Amino acid sequence: MTIATPATRSTADVAAWDEPEGLAPRGTLVVLGGRGETPTVYERFGARISRDAYRVRALGDATADTDAIRRAAVELLTDADLPAPKVLVGSDAGAALALEIAASAPASVDALVLAGLPTRADAAHAIEARTACPNHRRVLARETTDEGRDRTLPPELLGVTASAVPVPVLAIHGDADVLSPVDDAIAVHRQAPHAELHTVAGGRHDILNDVTHRSVAATIVLFLERVRASADAAPIVTRVEDRT
């Protein structure tokens, strides 16, 4: 993993993971972090996805400076040196911002992965509510603060309708998410014209890094392969049961 501040008009730090040496890159994922998170929170996720030859670029807390994170995300999505397809991945507040970017600038995005999409502005973001994974709890304790995790979601990020997003969407949500109840999230995701919804049995809010992170990563890679093969993803509903 490398972390750098881009020499562009944005000032957001970016963590980067590239494909293994000798493999041709298959696409680029731009990850938008949740409340209180640094890009380092996605080290495990980025390392795993990059092993399948997808480049990963992670930005931090989407609410710390929403305009700067938005600019940085669009810069990465439109960077000609990063291979297509360009997929925007968001967790918590990052999912809300990813939805907003795809609705307002769809030409820059080939697909979306939305994890733990928030459905309300305020939530008590105790680490135990975010994940059951002991390793991820240690990462959150090191890389986040209580103040950051409890930050209110900007109202403009809650007003985006999924029906305005024309690109394929993979929505992943834990059915034990107490911060963003799964039924509320499903109601939002079902508005998207081209959406796949995966609910994770027992999954908590930080579903990219929860105890099912292996199954979730595999689900994402399968989606990425379909995005590479086709401009559309057929709407389906499945459940992810593996808790290894």
Side-chain angles (χ1 to χ4, degrees):
M1 178 185 71
T2 59
I3 296 182
T5 300
T8 65
R9 63 181 180 275
S10 72
T11 58
D13 286 345
V14 181
W17 297 267
D18 287 346
E19 70 281 357
E21 186 176 355
L23 295 184
R26 299 183 66 75
T28 303
L29 279 65
V30 177
V31 181
L32 305 180
R35 279 167 276 194
E37 295 179 345
T38 68
T40 303
V41 167
Y42 293 91
E43 181 170 7
R44 181 169 66 183
F45 176 80
R48 174 168 285 118
I49 298 296
S50 67
R51 286 198 292 269
D52 281 298
Y54 287 92
R55 291 185 183 175
V56 180
R57 301 292 184 265
L59 298 162
D61 183 352
T63 64
D65 186 339
T66 301
D67 288 341
I69 295 294
R70 183 188 290 107
R71 289 194 301 270
V74 173
E75 288 164 8
L76 290 167
L77 291 167
T78 56
D79 186 343
D81 292 331
L82 292 173
K86 304 288 184 64
V87 180
L88 198 51
V89 181
S91 177
D92 180 62
L97 181 57
L99 197 64
E100 188 270 336
I101 292 172
S104 60
S108 65
V109 185
D110 294 308
L112 287 183
V113 177
L114 304 178
L117 179 72
T119 54
R120 56 196 182 200
D122 299 307
H125 282 112
I127 289 176
E128 292 75 15
R130 292 183 69 152
T131 181
C133 174
N135 288 332
H136 188 49
R137 286 182 177 181
R138 285 191 288 270
V139 171
L140 290 177
R142 184 182 72 238
E143 296 293 332
T144 67
T145 64
D146 291 344
E147 180 183 4
R149 293 192 304 274
D150 289 339
R151 190 173 288 121
T152 299
L153 198 70
E156 63 269 20
L157 295 185
L158 284 175
V160 182
T161 59
S163 60
V165 176
V167 300
V169 176
L170 173 65
I172 307 176
H173 212 93
D175 69 4
D177 188 341
V178 298
L179 305 178
S180 178
V182 64
D183 289 343
D184 294 345
I186 287 173
V188 176
H189 292 311
R190 286 197 182 279
Q191 299 174 36
H194 306 286
E196 301 183 16
L197 172 62
H198 292 249
T199 58
V200 182
R204 300 190 190 181
H205 189 61
D206 285 12
I207 202 61
L208 295 181
N209 282 305
D210 204 14
V211 291
T212 52
H213 59 89
R214 295 176 182 85
S215 297
V216 167
T219 298
I220 291 171
V221 170
L222 290 173
F223 174 73
L224 296 174
E225 290 297 303
R226 290 194 298 277
V227 169
R228 278 177 51 85
S230 172
D232 295 318
I236 60 173
V237 178
T238 66
R239 295 185 67 84
V240 178
E241 303 287 351
D242 179 10
R243 297 185 60 78
T244 59

